[in-house]
Every structure is written in C-alpha cells, then in structure tokens.
Amino acid sequence: MDELAEQAGLDPIELRRRNEPPEDPEKHVPFSTRALIPCMEEGARLFGWDRRKAEPGQVREGRQLIGLGMAAASRSVILQPSKCRLRLEPNGRAVAEMAMTDIGTGSYTILTQIGADLLGLPPERVEVRLGDTDYPEASGSGGSFGANSSGAALYTAAEALKIELARRAGVEPDEARFENGALVAGNVSRTLEELAADGAIEVLGDFKPGDLAETYSQQSYGAHFCEAAVDIDTGEVRVRRFLSVHAAGRILNEKTARSQCLGGVTMGIGAALTEEVALDPRFGSYVNHDLAEYHVPVHADIPDMEVVFLPELDDKASPLKAKGVGELGICGVGAAVANAIYNACGVRVRDYPITLDKLLPGLGRFRDQAS
C-alpha cells in the first residue's frame, strides 16, 4: 500500500480514503461498523503526520535519517460457543463458573467487571471461577475471542437469572432490571438476598453465535504510526515514537486492552527488526532456540508508545457490543516500521527482520553527502 501510494503520488492515508469501500468487497455484505478511516485521521492528527516529507531521506539529525510511516490494522471478529453457570447465593453473592482460562490476559478481571455490571453488584460480591473442566465448557483464550465469547456466556446467564428472579418476584422479566443489589421492576424492588433466601439459585447461560457474522462483515480496525531513525554509518534502526489508534467496539477494560495493544506493538517491532528463526536444513531443527540467540526487543529497543481507543459500540458483534483486541495490536506494526525506515532512507526492505546489512548498501549516498 505504501509503494502504491508513492507511485500514485498520494499520501498513504489519502490513498485509502479514496478507495474506502461502501461494503465488504468479497462478501458483498454491509460492515457492522467500519472506523478504519477515522482511526487513520485521528492518528494523523495526534502523531503530527502533516509534518511528514513524502520524499525519502529529507529529514536528518546529525548522522541519523528520520522517517515517518503508517499502516492499517484489521482483525476479524470471532465468537465461540460458550456456557456459564451462574449461582446466586443466599447472602446475595454471585458465583460464575466456566471452563474459560486466564493466561495472563485478565479474564478474571474482565469477567468480574461484566458480572458486576450486569447484576448491579459491587465487584467484591461477584466471584469468577475459571479453568476447571468440571465447569461448563467455554471458548478458552486465544484468537481475540476469549473475553467476548465468555463475556457473552455470562451475559446470557445473567439474563436467565433475571427471568428466574422476575418469576419469583411476580414481575415481568422485560420490565425487570438489576440495580444496587436488587431486582427492580416498576414500583417493586426485591433484594437479591430476599429472592435467594430459601436457597441458592442456579442457572446456565448457553451462548451460541447467530448468523450475524454472515450477514455483516465484522472487524476491529486500527492505524499504526511510527517514527524511525536510521544511522547512515551503521544502518542501525531506532524506533523513536509509536502511536496506535484502534476502534474495537465496547472496550471492556481500557487499562488491560491498552496493555494488550502495547504488547502487540512491542512484538511487532521485534518481528520487524530483530526476530528471525535460523533453521538447520540438514535436520529441520531450530538453531537459535534460546533467548541468547533469538533476539527479541529489550527495554532499550522500545520507545514511548501511545494507544488510543475510539469510542464505538457494535451491536452486531456480540451481546456486549464489543470486539476482539488481542491480535489487533500487532496487525500492521511491522509494515509501519518498514514504511518509516523507507521514508527515512529510501531503502525498501520486504524481508523481515530489517537488519542493518539490508540497509547499508543503500546508505552510501548519504555517507558521501556527509563527508
């Protein structure tokens, strides 16, 4: 896309703006939401994209060439069938159980928040239990579908609990809502402790994705902006600034979502600049299978990074109106780095990682100018 924009004499964002499709060009169905251009425009505003020089090699600081690059990000929305067992205890506490996992991505935190919000309870009165095969089967973690799928199961369970409690309270479920530890409908208000006084109430939420994924094209979107410096003597690359702007439906927890995107950007920078697998062709074995020789980014390699989420709700994506975030943070990061390097020094590298040996042959003219 960056090369096409250059050949067409267009800014990379303007190229995409002119070619923004009215519907999914492959499925020929409408987008549930599509905020790709808004992500790019907001990112351009925040990053100072208007200061970018279209011709490579125009910005220099001493022995370093400075360039700006951007790339788009997109990740399909995926939902998996999931179940959740929800139990209201006589003391008014809620316990949610599912065979979901928490691999460090914050599933316990997110599901506790969702449960508290749905049931009108403070988080300390919601207990989430995960990772046991005795619990109802759930989506698991991965593929950017974990929180959305398991959260949808919890939503379904909360709806089932509301129907059961409304029956016990003698009110219409459609008129009932959870609020401040009670079931409220019209002028009727019954505390959860009252409704469960005779014993725990248990329901099963069984979430199955419908056909909305077929009738709508559903993706999370983003735009990455990178500033990179290339040393004309050594070919060393330093990423100096990085900004990611995303639209991913309802952001269930901005702190954990931002952390995932920061991790994605870090992984993308590593993929672009250092990470490479060396394979022994004789035996098919990995030669550099340890952290001494498989080079991943360290603190000195990672610059100031900023992640911004645009407000969005997507009622076609899930009952929570949310989308996946996990992989979105890494999509397109390497391309943004490569484009920034090209804008800095005019060397286009299409083979990751972009190591100094691939840049040095194209830097001679800058060394000649400096000498």
Side-chain angles (χ1 to χ4, degrees):
M1 294 294 289
D2 205 61
E3 293 179 69
L4 177 60
E6 183 182 43
Q7 291 296 315
L10 294 172
D11 180 89
I13 296 176
E14 179 60 24
L15 172 70
R16 291 167 170 87
R17 186 185 289 112
R18 293 189 186 187
N19 289 278
E20 175 68 1
E23 64 175 13
D24 188 305
E26 294 182 343
K27 295 182 178 180
H28 301 292
V29 296
F31 296 104
S32 60
T33 62
R34 182 173 168 89
L36 179 60
I37 300 302
C39 285
M40 293 181 181
E41 292 176 340
E42 179 65 3
R45 184 187 71 83
L46 294 173
F47 198 70
W49 184 251
D50 58 341
R51 297 194 296 270
R52 173 182 176 268
K53 306 294 184 183
E55 184 180 348
Q58 297 302 299
V59 181
R60 186 164 175 168
E61 295 180 6
R63 310 293 292 186
Q64 291 189 326
L65 300 166
I66 313 301
L68 303 182
M70 63 82 56
S74 178
R75 174 70 183 178
S76 297
V77 175
I78 304 172
L79 284 177
Q80 298 288 332
S82 294
K83 296 178 182 178
C84 173
R85 183 162 56 231
L86 182 60
R87 185 168 60 257
L88 177 62
E89 304 284 4
N91 61 4
R93 290 178 58 84
V95 179
E97 299 173 337
M98 63 184 86
M100 172 62 172
T101 55
D102 190 330
I103 58 173
T105 48
S107 300
Y108 281 106
T109 300
I110 291 292
L111 292 171
T112 300
Q113 288 182 242
I114 293 172
D117 188 60
L118 291 172
L119 300 173
L121 292 171
E124 58 268 21
R125 288 178 59 184
V126 177
E127 181 182 354
V128 174
R129 300 174 180 174
L130 305 175
D132 191 320
T133 53
D134 287 339
Y135 299 154
E137 61 203 69
S139 63
S141 299
S144 299
F145 53 66
N148 216 9
S149 300
S150 58
L154 180 51
Y155 174 94
T156 306
E159 286 295 297
L161 181 62
K162 185 177 73 172
I163 291 171
E164 173 59 25
L165 295 182
R167 183 189 67 79
R168 296 187 180 212
V171 298
E172 289 295 324
D174 291 343
E175 299 176 1
R177 67 185 186 278
F178 291 109
E179 186 177 291
N180 297 325
L183 184 79
V184 179
N187 60 357
V188 176
S189 178
R190 301 281 301 277
T191 68
L192 300 186
E193 291 95 325
E194 289 180 79
L195 293 169
D198 293 335
I201 302 170
E202 189 172 284
V203 296
L204 180 68
D206 187 356
F207 172 73
K208 293 184 175 64
D211 61 355
L212 288 176
E214 303 301 323
T215 53
Y216 290 91
S217 180
Q218 302 176 16
Q219 285 94 32
S220 300
Y221 296 100
H224 298 294
F225 293 82
C226 175
E227 178 183 303
V230 179
D231 189 293
I232 64 173
D233 294 308
T234 66
E236 179 189 16
V237 174
R238 286 289 175 183
V239 174
R240 307 206 311 181
R241 287 192 298 140
F242 207 101
L243 167 70
S244 292
V245 180
H246 298 292
R250 185 196 302 275
I251 302 302
L252 301 175
N253 182 307
E254 187 158 340
K255 179 178 287 187
T256 57
R258 180 176 181 273
S259 293
Q260 285 207 330
C261 289
L262 288 174
V265 171
T266 302
M267 293 164 64
I269 292 173
L273 298 181
T274 65
E275 297 188 41
E276 185 172 21
V277 169
L279 197 66
D280 187 333
R282 300 169 300 168
F283 307 109
S285 60
Y286 297 112
V287 176
N288 59 336
H289 49 63
D290 56 65
L291 290 177
E293 297 186 37
Y294 184 85
H295 297 156
V296 297
V298 297
H299 289 298
D301 299 316
I302 301 304
D304 289 335
M305 298 189 295
E306 186 177 0
V307 174
V308 174
F309 294 105
L310 299 186
E312 181 182 74
L313 297 175
D314 190 341
D315 61 1
K316 310 296 189 301
S318 79
L320 303 177
K321 302 180 183 179
K323 299 178 180 179
V325 170
E327 275 87 356
L328 181 65
I330 195 175
C331 295
V333 172
V337 174
N339 292 339
I341 291 171
Y342 175 76
N343 184 247
C345 66
V347 180
R348 181 75 70 181
V349 181
R350 303 180 184 85
D351 177 28
Y352 294 131
I354 306 174
T355 47
L356 56 88
D357 56 298
K358 298 171 184 176
L359 297 176
L360 279 172
L363 299 177
R365 63 187 179 96
F366 297 106
R367 289 193 294 272
D368 294 339
Q369 293 170 6
S371 58

